[in-house]
Amino acid sequence: ETGVTQTPRHLVMGMTNKKSLKCEQHLGHNAMYWYKQSAKKPLELMFVYSLEERVENNSVPSRFSPECPNSSHLFLHLHTLQPEDSALYLCASSQVYRQGAGQPQHFGDGTRLSIL
Amino acid sequence: AQTVTQSQPEMSVQEAETVTLSCTYDTSENNYYLFWYKQPPSRQMILVIRQEAYKQQNATENRFSVNFQKAAKSFSLKISDSQLGDTAMYFCAFMRHEGGSEKLVFGKGTKLTVNP
């Protein structure tokens, strides 16, 4: 399925670098999500955007900065990261209704991030 | 807070046989949704099956079916006629609607290996 595309696939950066992760969805959804997946831990929800407005931020460190310019694109800007931030970062999208309909989230392939 | 527990970190099964992956969750909500996702080595999180909590009938998708026990807060996944391509991490997830967004809470996953 190519409905959710993430770039780059791999990223190696130093702690002082600034980089951005990109996510694009072609499914016509109105909500997008960033998740962090670390070894032996459950997926952690980082940010939620619904209708281009951030509706949830799970107390993520400020060195992670999301941006959602429209309903199809989502970015995660990174700066001054720490070694413990090395992980797989997954983007997802879904269609959300006000009354709640439990529509599944569709995921991209993720960006494998390594902090030196 | 909702939690999802997958008590089997790893499992293996012979090709063509049946295997059941367990999942329990904790919530005080009455209306919610449950999912099983599969993550093969290719990394993409793929939806396997979805269950609506208000429906008593167990969801089925081809070789995949669930045993949903709402009172016991149990949501196990049965894979029949296992195939080599079923080798993957399997994640159980709980979703509820909250304030204009839908939040997924994942378990730690079960690594399933299908042996030839």
Side-chain angles (χ1 to χ4, degrees), chain A residues 9-77:
Chain A
R9 188 166 173 82
H10 302 275
L11 179 61
V12 179
M13 57 187 286
M15 289 191 284
T16 58
N17 292 156
K18 290 184 180 182
K19 295 286 184 182
S20 296
L21 310 185
K22 179 182 176 182
C23 177
E24 183 174 359
Q25 60 99 357
H26 308 277
L27 301 169
H29 290 160
N30 62 3
M32 297 187 77
Y33 312 79
W34 279 117
Y35 288 88
K36 176 183 179 182
Q37 186 176 25
S38 305
K40 303 189 187 224
K41 292 176 70 175
L43 268 77
E44 301 171 60
L45 178 63
M46 300 176 72
F47 301 102
V48 179
Y49 278 84
S50 183
L51 296 173
E52 300 165 37
E53 178 182 339
R54 187 191 303 179
V55 298
E56 186 156 347
N57 175 352
N58 287 332
S59 301
V60 176
S62 59
R63 57 187 183 267
F64 294 92
S65 175
E67 179 189 1
C68 187
N70 55 60
S71 60
S72 299
H73 294 86
L74 183 65
F75 296 89
L76 187 63
H77 303 300

